[in-house]
Amino acid sequence: MAVQLTLTGEKQKVSIQSHDEMAFEIARTIRDFVVRGISPWSTMYKSTIVITSSSEWPQPDFVFDDQAKMTYGFEFKPPEQVRREYIMGVGQALTYLNHFSHSTLILPTHAENFEIARYVSDLVQNIPLKIGVIAYDPRNLRQLKILIPYPKEPVGPLQRKATVGKVFWAFWMDESIHEFYLMLKNSYEHRNERGDIKQKVFVKVFEMMKEGKTYANDGTPRQLGKKLKFSSWFLNYRLPFLHCGLWSLDGKPTLTGNRILLVGDTYGWDSTEFRNALAKAYLENGKHLLLMRYIWDIQIDAINQGIRHSTTKDYLDFMANQLMERGFGRALRGVRRNLQAMISLWGGGFRILKKRGNSYYFKSFGLVPDWGKITTILQTEYW
């Protein structure tokens, strides 16, 4: 993912040019059209849709969940790619129908001085293929045109719905950097076994957690007790490992997972190098960089509008509301809880937030990411 950060002052907006940012700008535009009742968008999706993600493989670039029955997977292709990339997008969109009710391919009107959107839409229509096609103007991502609407009836199997996240960013709740390292190590040790090894990998780590043999993000022993619920903690680790691309569907380590483990083996689980490598997986694959960008821009807009908050609680309530208004999340309480977890992860875990005394919250402003360190992490080639 090509990422460019531009920051000329602590209270300036962050400019990020990336695949994810463009994809989510289009996602937000479609949802905005739906909520405002603009035709034909308002007839295609319910006004209850939220923009989220899925841990299924292959992963759509973003997902719409109507919070009732239908799920929609989207494949977004950025501008200035070779024609082959857009043809590949057809195949990617088709695979989403294995888990999602509908699938849509989003691509630019032109590529290599060729009307690629029209060509692909003709291809989809003539075969025919049961996916939708949307074209956008690369000069203005809000200029969208439906070339082929998705079929009226669901295509994907409703009984095998995709695992859809409550938010679009990779999950983090009560985990520790040390336990992530142990999960990677066990995954590597069981890599040659046949079948799904995810549960086997976690069983060993879970026993260590109950016995107090794992460490918190500050390096102190974790005291979790013996009455931990296996299914809940397994979910806590299984979801982000899939979302961040650390292991495959059967729990075998990916190239990304192996490289991050190598960093941990070389420098130690508590090293800056290991934390940074894991942070890159979360920032890029887990879309945490995109979340940071939204949070930063919301904060700047709030200052310009004279909106103030003076406590961490008020800030979390305000930010959760703002993200919900943008279609990010199903329930206010859940989004707020996720944000609180992000402060723990970005601050105490990855150490990419600046502090004011003992707090990561800056009064009347919010969170201040260490953009210099984040840029260095993104530019480092770990895999």
Side-chain angles (χ1 to χ4, degrees):
M1 178 179 70
V3 177
Q4 223 174 16
L5 292 177
T6 305
L7 188 63
T8 56
E10 291 288 61
K11 295 190 178 182
Q12 297 293 317
K13 285 193 175 182
V14 180
S15 175
I16 306 175
Q17 299 298 322
S18 71
H19 170 282
D20 286 345
E21 185 187 28
M22 288 186 286
F24 272 71
E25 179 64 20
I26 288 177
R28 289 181 58 197
T29 298
I30 295 174
R31 181 184 178 275
D32 181 50
F33 290 163
V34 173
V35 172
R36 288 162 54 195
I38 297 176
S39 182
W41 307 95
S42 58
T43 62
M44 295 177 63
Y45 308 99
K46 292 183 178 180
S47 59
T48 56
I49 59 170
V50 293
I51 305 166
T52 184
S53 61
S54 173
S55 59
E56 301 292 349
W57 182 87
Q59 291 182 15
D61 288 312
F62 64 87
V63 172
F64 280 171
D65 177 10
D66 72 4
Q67 304 188 71
K69 185 169 67 172
M70 300 297 179
T71 55
Y72 307 80
F74 291 82
E75 176 64 27
F76 168 78
K77 290 299 181 184
E80 300 179 6
Q81 305 295 302
V82 295
R83 298 182 196 181
R84 181 178 67 253
E85 181 68 21
Y86 301 109
I87 300 302
M88 287 174 57
V90 175
Q92 289 172 287
L94 285 170
T95 63
Y96 302 154
L97 293 175
N98 191 43
H99 289 99
F100 296 88
S101 311
H102 296 286
S103 178
T104 297
L105 173 62
I106 304 173
L107 66 170
T109 52
H110 292 78
E112 297 182 325
N113 296 317
F114 180 73
E115 292 187 359
I116 190 64
R118 177 57 60 189
Y119 176 84
V120 170
S121 63
D122 288 344
L123 178 71
V124 170
Q125 200 162 34
N126 292 335
I127 290 182
L129 302 174
K130 295 182 179 181
I131 62 173
V133 180
I134 294 175
Y136 67 88
D137 184 345
R139 297 166 298 182
N140 183 355
L141 295 178
R142 291 183 64 85
Q143 292 293 324
L144 303 175
K145 184 176 182 180
I146 301 170
L147 299 183
I148 299 178
Y150 61 78
K152 291 183 179 180
E153 296 299 320
V155 181
L158 294 181
Q159 282 73 27
R160 294 173 55 201
K161 280 188 177 180
T163 302
V164 177
K166 294 181 179 179
V167 291
F168 74 76
W169 56 90
F171 187 78
W172 177 278
M173 195 66 67
D174 300 327
E175 298 100 316
S176 82
I177 300 295
H178 180 231
E179 288 158 10
F180 258 81
Y181 170 73
L182 294 174
M183 291 282 290
L184 287 169
K185 200 165 188 65
N186 287 342
S187 175
Y188 181 79
E189 290 173 354
H190 291 285
R191 70 192 184 281
N192 292 323
E193 296 181 17
R194 301 182 69 176
D196 192 323
I197 64 170
K198 292 194 294 293
Q199 188 161 315
K200 182 181 292 186
V201 167
F202 184 64
V203 164
K204 188 174 180 180
V205 177
F206 187 66
E207 289 303 315
M208 293 179 67
M209 291 165 62
K210 290 195 296 183
E211 295 169 5
K213 294 181 179 179
T214 64
Y215 293 89
N217 293 331
D218 61 2
T220 60
R222 290 250 274 177
Q223 302 296 328
L224 298 170
K226 295 183 178 295
K227 296 183 178 181
L228 304 180
K229 188 175 180 180
F230 181 89
S231 59
S232 297
W233 282 95
F234 182 42
L235 187 69
N236 283 4
Y237 280 97
R238 179 171 60 82
L239 291 181
F241 262 68
L242 287 169
H243 199 156
C244 293
L246 305 181
W247 64 15
S248 56
L249 284 178
D250 60 2
K252 309 293 173 56
T254 60
L255 174 62
T256 300
N258 277 334
R259 293 291 176 82
I260 293 176
L261 174 61
L262 180 60
V263 173
D265 284 342
T266 303
Y267 298 100
W269 75 265
D270 198 24
S271 64
T272 298
E273 291 80 3
F274 180 70
R275 290 173 187 264
N276 288 355
L278 188 57
K280 182 172 183 176
Y282 261 88
L283 288 167
E284 290 190 345
N285 300 343
K287 295 183 172 61
H288 280 217
L289 179 63
L290 188 62
L291 174 61
M292 278 188 171
R293 183 266 189 189
Y294 285 130
I295 289 174
W296 184 265
D297 284 354
I298 290 169
Q299 291 176 167
I300 300 302
D301 289 341
I303 290 174
N304 292 337
Q305 296 171 26
I307 299 172
R308 295 288 183 267
H309 38 76
S310 57
T311 66
T312 303
K313 179 184 180 303
D314 290 342
Y315 169 75
L316 288 172
D317 290 340
F318 163 75
M319 188 57 66
N321 267 302
Q322 289 294 308
L323 290 171
M324 284 284 289
E325 284 183 11
R326 288 159 173 77
F328 302 140
R330 300 180 194 171
L332 186 62
R333 184 179 177 184
V335 174
R336 190 188 186 284
R337 188 165 178 245
N338 261 277
L339 284 175
Q340 203 159 7
M342 292 308 98
I343 295 176
S344 172
L345 173 63
W346 297 342
F350 297 153
R351 299 168 185 172
I352 54 177
L353 289 181
K354 295 186 177 181
K355 295 184 75 171
R356 190 173 194 173
N358 293 321
S359 176
Y360 294 108
Y361 168 72
F362 285 68
K363 186 177 180 179
S364 297
F365 184 80
L367 303 181
V368 181
D370 189 336
W371 294 115
K373 183 174 182 180
I374 290 169
T375 301
T376 298
I377 289 172
L378 295 172
Q379 291 177 344
T380 303
E381 295 186 6
Y382 295 103
W383 52 83

